[in-house]
Amino acid sequence: MAIYHHQCVLRNRAQMMRDAIRFHDFTFRLPTRKLLFGERALQEVLNDMGKEIQKLEAHNEVESWQRLTRVLTHEIMNATAPIRSISQAYLNDSKIKNSSYAEGIQAIYDTSSGLATFVDSYRKMTQLQEPVPTDVNLAQFSNKLAALYPNITWEINISPKESINIDENLLRQVFINLIKNAIEAEAKKIAIYYNHGTLNISNDGHIIPEDARKEIFIPFFTTKTTGSGIGLSLSRQILMKQGYILSLSDHSRQGYNVTFSIE
């Protein structure tokens, strides 16, 4: 009877993991207690595999968006360049200046120039600088960041000995983007902490809506009325280029609403 019950438990575990993969929830981690040593080893491998699948999925998603962005920016720039050039030439023509056509042509020029500027900003997503990794002391790094935002209440819980090998300037760019987003979400306190190889940053700003959680790393997606939708996507690409993954955690630190993790 005990053997039958144990097999039922294993069957239920298999079903839960199948459902997790089906619904693209790769954060699953099932407990290993009360398992035989061989079953425990298998479960630990499956738990770790979830993280690896998540990384591969994120990597493929980023590559797809990079290819699409390259095509779109190239085509849009090719289309807007002659419009800007021709409209500017007309605006410099003495026959057009102060005529009834000037206002309309100016609107065409301004719109095409604005679109070109808009598209050019997204070229960052396909032209990232090559990282120069060094051993970055995380406690010192976090304290320097906190000093830049004195109006925020900071909770930094990192051992003075903890460090990771990464490009410090690029990591700073990622954190500044996350902090900026938190402040725009009316956060008053931010926590940075490191445990089990994962660097976390939490804030008490507005909760990210459930229907937006899976979309926030997609380029151009934003929940803000004036947002560009590039910050989180660019941050994820910066970290992936160095072997790390930026993700939105399903569980936040007590007293906080949103947590991003780097691992």
Side-chain angles (χ1 to χ4, degrees):
M1 190 67 181
I3 294 176
Y4 175 78
H5 176 73
H6 187 66
Q7 293 303 309
C8 288
V9 171
L10 294 179
R11 181 190 60 193
N12 292 337
R13 282 171 172 266
Q15 182 62 48
M16 285 189 288
M17 297 190 73
R18 185 184 295 114
D19 290 341
I21 292 173
R22 182 181 299 160
F23 294 108
H24 292 259
D25 179 12
F26 303 118
T27 59
F28 61 80
R29 290 196 68 83
L30 297 181
T32 58
R33 64 181 181 276
K34 296 184 180 180
L35 295 180
L36 299 176
F37 67 91
E39 295 168 344
R40 185 182 304 112
L42 178 60
Q43 184 64 64
E44 288 172 351
V45 169
L46 292 172
N47 285 343
D48 292 338
M49 190 180 295
K51 285 188 176 181
E52 294 305 315
I53 294 174
Q54 184 182 25
K55 288 181 180 179
L56 286 173
E57 185 182 58
H59 182 75
N60 290 335
E61 182 181 276
V62 164
E63 283 192 336
S64 297
W65 281 111
Q66 283 180 328
R67 287 194 294 269
L68 178 60
T69 301
R70 278 195 292 268
V71 172
L72 288 176
T73 55
H74 178 74
E75 294 300 323
I76 294 173
M77 292 299 283
N78 283 347
T80 57
I83 297 174
R84 292 178 65 198
S85 178
I86 293 170
S87 57
Q88 186 174 38
Y90 274 118
L91 289 172
N92 292 332
D93 191 323
S94 59
K95 295 178 182 179
I96 297 297
K97 289 180 179 180
N98 300 319
S99 72
S100 57
Y101 300 105
E103 185 176 351
I105 295 174
Q106 184 67 54
I108 293 172
Y109 176 78
D110 291 343
T111 301
S112 59
S113 296
L115 182 58
T117 301
F118 173 80
V119 171
D120 190 56
S121 68
Y122 288 107
R123 285 183 172 174
K124 298 176 184 177
M125 298 175 61
T126 56
Q127 298 176 347
L128 295 178
Q129 70 183 73
E130 285 299 317
V132 181
T134 59
D135 289 333
V136 178
N137 183 286
L138 292 177
Q140 294 177 7
F141 173 83
S142 301
N143 287 322
K144 288 178 183 177
L145 273 175
L148 297 176
Y149 301 91
N151 294 329
I152 293 290
T153 300
W154 290 89
E155 178 189 351
I156 298 175
N157 186 12
I158 301 176
S159 167
K161 296 180 180 180
E162 294 289 359
S163 65
I164 60 174
N165 190 255
I166 198 168
D167 187 306
E168 184 171 0
N169 290 328
L170 291 177
L171 181 62
R172 184 180 300 106
Q173 183 178 339
V174 170
F175 266 76
I176 286 176
N177 178 63
L178 295 175
I179 294 167
K180 175 176 170 289
N181 286 349
I183 292 173
E184 289 176 351
E186 300 185 359
K188 298 295 185 293
K189 58 180 182 177
I190 295 177
I192 303 178
Y193 49 103
Y194 186 79
N195 58 331
H196 305 297
T198 301
L199 180 60
N200 303 284
I201 176 169
S202 301
N203 71 76
D204 66 340
H206 300 312
I207 296 174
I208 297 175
E210 191 62 35
D211 59 349
R213 293 178 65 85
K214 293 184 178 180
E215 314 291 336
I216 60 173
F217 292 109
I218 295 177
F220 319 141
F221 176 85
T222 181
T223 57
K224 296 179 287 188
T225 55
T226 58
S228 65
I230 191 175
L232 287 175
S233 175
L234 183 61
S235 296
R236 173 173 269 192
Q237 290 184 54
I238 286 173
L239 291 171
M240 288 190 68
K241 198 174 180 68
Q242 303 180 76
Y244 296 92
I245 179 70
L246 173 67
S247 58
L248 177 62
S249 177
D250 289 330
H251 307 286
S252 282
R253 192 178 182 86
Q254 186 173 3
Y256 296 88
N257 296 327
V258 178
T259 296
F260 285 93
S261 299
I262 299 172
E263 52 187 330

